[in-house]
Amino acid sequence: MITSTVPCSNANMVGKCRSTVLLFHKMESITNVMEYETIAKEKLPKMIYDYYASGAEDQWTLQENRNAFSRILFRPRILVDVRSIDTTTSVLGFKVSMPIMVAPTAMQKMAHSEGEYATARATSAAGTIMTLSSWATSSVEEVASTGPGIRFFQLYVYKDRNVVRQLVKRAERAGFKAIALTVDTPRLGRREADIKNRFVLPPHLTLKNFEGLDLGKMDKTYDSGLASYVAGQVDQSLSWKDVKWLQTITHLPILLKGVLTAEDARLAVESGAAGIIVSNHGARQLDYAPATVMALEEVVKAVQGRIPVFLDGGIRRGTDVFKALALGASGVFIGRPVVFSLAVDGEAGVRKVLQMLQDEFELTMALSGCRSIKEITRSHITAPWDSPRITPRL
């Protein structure tokens, strides 16, 4: 157990010292990424924790994003020499240490004072990819200044297309390698926790990418400040023609984030998208949409290998990563585990989350008889929608 170095010389300090000791003890004993959320809930103000943790309406999809993984079972192969396991892979031509990347998560300085700076450094140290949110509390230039790293930029399309054009060009100049265009948010989903809390960005923070455009603040309302902001700024008319338009203003590859059906997957290929992220926006948009892992194989089959398919939503274990890859994903993105570990232990927390997931994934590969990413196949899992297998007669 780690003891506190804070002096406890008076009664007012005793409670703080005990809390510090308890926090250190909890951090020291963390063995999986889900434990960070429990500690973060104790540490963060309610409005901020609820913003990160909650989903839309009844939150059925929020729970289903996790529960669906539990219904997919392994078919491990045995007597394979697994002394050497290689978790490296390639994403849009960039070599990464593992198929586990960081999803765009807004306003990270609400979780920790270093926010996106810490996440960028941790992700770079892990040898993988960070996706920066449009609504980050650090700008593309500031994140680029943290040092080398492979970074994508998540984009919302504003009504003012000059704002979009400027932002994309800034991301290019800052060295970002791809655009992840969010396509499932013409309006913000009904997030009842944000409504109850009257969520608004804390006054000492701004949406840094929009600070010079007078779009960096949210007004207080009797509703959700973010919902009001989105209604005022995000273009509800976004359509497939705008994917083509975006290609005319950038040379960067464009991933479409928010695809859940075969029909839209085929249209994504036809539109010239460089890849798809199967996503339900962390279950924060349309409740009773399918869990992303349930929609994944439909999308993979529709694209027929023409572009890579990635997944976000519900990833909490290395076993989840393996299951997604077995269903055809080229990689996964994690969101909430990043912000909760950031809230608890800053950069060190994010580093630990990425390392734990990589370690769990490597172990799953070994116990399934896979020595490299390319050896992970559909035959290594069985899913609820599979046809019943014929039991051999002994």
Side-chain angles (χ1 to χ4, degrees):
M1 179 173 174
I2 300 174
T3 57
S4 171
T5 58
V6 179
C8 297
S9 56
N10 61 67
N12 291 332
M13 292 296 293
V14 170
K16 292 182 180 179
C17 289
R18 286 175 178 166
S19 296
T20 302
V21 170
L22 182 60
L23 177 60
F24 278 130
H25 178 59
K26 288 180 177 179
M27 287 163 53
E28 187 183 39
S29 63
I30 286 173
T31 57
N32 66 73
V33 305
M34 290 168 283
E35 293 176 5
Y36 276 108
E37 179 171 355
T38 302
I39 302 173
K41 186 175 183 178
E42 297 174 3
K43 186 174 181 180
L44 290 171
K46 185 178 187 300
M47 180 189 76
I48 293 171
Y49 170 79
D50 285 353
Y51 168 75
Y52 290 135
S54 64
E57 296 185 350
D58 298 327
Q59 303 189 109
W60 181 88
T61 299
L62 182 67
Q63 298 302 317
E64 183 66 1
N65 269 356
R66 283 295 306 134
N67 294 340
F69 277 105
S70 70
R71 298 194 292 272
I72 300 170
L73 304 180
F74 292 112
R75 300 184 68 247
R77 301 302 304 274
I78 60 171
L79 296 177
V80 178
D81 182 352
V82 291
R83 286 174 294 178
S84 178
I85 302 291
D86 182 8
T87 65
T88 63
T89 190
S90 179
V91 174
L92 299 185
F94 300 101
K95 188 173 182 179
V96 291
S97 64
M98 54 183 161
I100 306 165
M101 298 162 283
V102 172
T105 308
M107 301 176 263
Q108 291 185 11
K109 284 189 178 180
M110 294 195 305
H112 188 277
S113 59
E114 291 199 324
E116 293 86 1
Y117 292 95
T119 301
R121 291 193 296 263
T123 310
S124 179
T128 191
I129 295 169
M130 173 188 178
T131 313
L132 183 71
S133 171
S134 279
W135 295 335
T137 39
S138 306
S139 68
V140 290
E141 293 85 3
E142 289 171 333
V143 169
S145 74
T146 63
I150 307 167
R151 300 182 183 112
F152 296 169
F153 180 69
Q154 177 271 329
L155 179 69
Y156 288 108
V157 174
Y158 277 46
K159 295 174 182 177
D160 185 342
R161 296 308 170 89
N162 286 327
V163 169
V164 179
R165 192 186 302 270
Q166 289 179 46
L167 196 51
V168 168
K169 292 300 180 185
R170 286 170 56 196
E172 285 183 357
R173 289 194 296 268
F176 285 69
K177 303 303 183 184
I179 300 294
L181 174 64
T182 293
V183 294
D184 62 1
T185 314
R187 296 171 61 176
L188 203 69
R190 184 174 175 81
R191 306 171 189 178
E192 294 180 0
D194 289 351
I195 296 170
K196 290 179 185 295
N197 294 329
R198 298 182 184 178
F199 174 82
V200 69
L201 186 65
H204 67 287
L205 298 175
T206 62
L207 303 179
K208 272 285 188 172
N209 287 312
F210 301 95
E211 194 174 43
L213 302 166
D214 294 326
L215 296 171
K217 288 286 189 180
M218 293 176 199
D219 295 329
K220 290 184 178 180
T221 71
Y222 289 100
D223 202 317
S224 160
L226 180 60
S228 297
Y229 181 87
V230 169
Q233 302 302 332
V234 172
D235 192 348
Q236 296 182 22
S237 74
L238 186 69
S239 67
W240 289 104
K241 72 179 186 301
D242 297 302
V243 178
K244 294 289 189 182
W245 169 77
L246 189 57
Q247 291 167 347
T248 69
I249 67 168
T250 182
H251 66 273
L252 295 178
I254 298 168
L255 303 172
L256 299 190
K257 179 179 181 294
V259 175
L260 289 172
T261 65
E263 295 90 336
D264 284 338
R266 286 189 284 268
L267 288 171
V269 173
E270 293 170 11
S271 76
I276 285 170
I277 302 175
V278 175
S279 173
N280 53 34
H281 212 109
R284 295 155 73 82
Q285 282 298 100
L286 179 64
D287 202 16
Y288 298 95
T292 50
V293 76
M294 297 296 284
L296 174 60
E297 195 165 35
E298 174 183 331
V299 172
V300 169
K301 288 179 177 178
V303 305
Q304 299 180 332
R306 289 172 289 182
I307 57 176
V309 176
F310 306 95
L311 175 137
D312 74 20
I315 299 288
R316 298 294 185 274
R317 287 284 191 183
T319 50
D320 300 333
V321 181
F322 187 100
K323 291 172 183 179
L325 267 60
L327 287 168
S330 294
V332 303
F333 290 86
I334 59 169
R336 288 183 176 95
V338 171
V339 290
F340 290 137
S341 61
L342 180 69
V344 172
D345 200 19
E347 180 181 341
V350 180
R351 285 187 184 226
K352 186 171 181 179
V353 155
L354 290 168
Q355 187 63 59
M356 284 193 294
L357 287 174
Q358 184 176 21
D359 290 345
E360 290 179 7
F361 175 57
E362 181 181 339
L363 178 61
T364 306
M365 289 176 64
L367 295 179
S368 298
C370 298
R371 294 161 294 196
S372 66
I373 301 297
K374 69 177 181 295
E375 291 187 357
I376 300 172
T377 68
R378 184 62 167 80
S379 69
H380 285 97
I381 61 166
T382 179
W385 56 90
D386 290 342
S387 299
R389 296 184 179 275
I390 299 174
T391 304
R393 182 173 297 175
L394 300 179

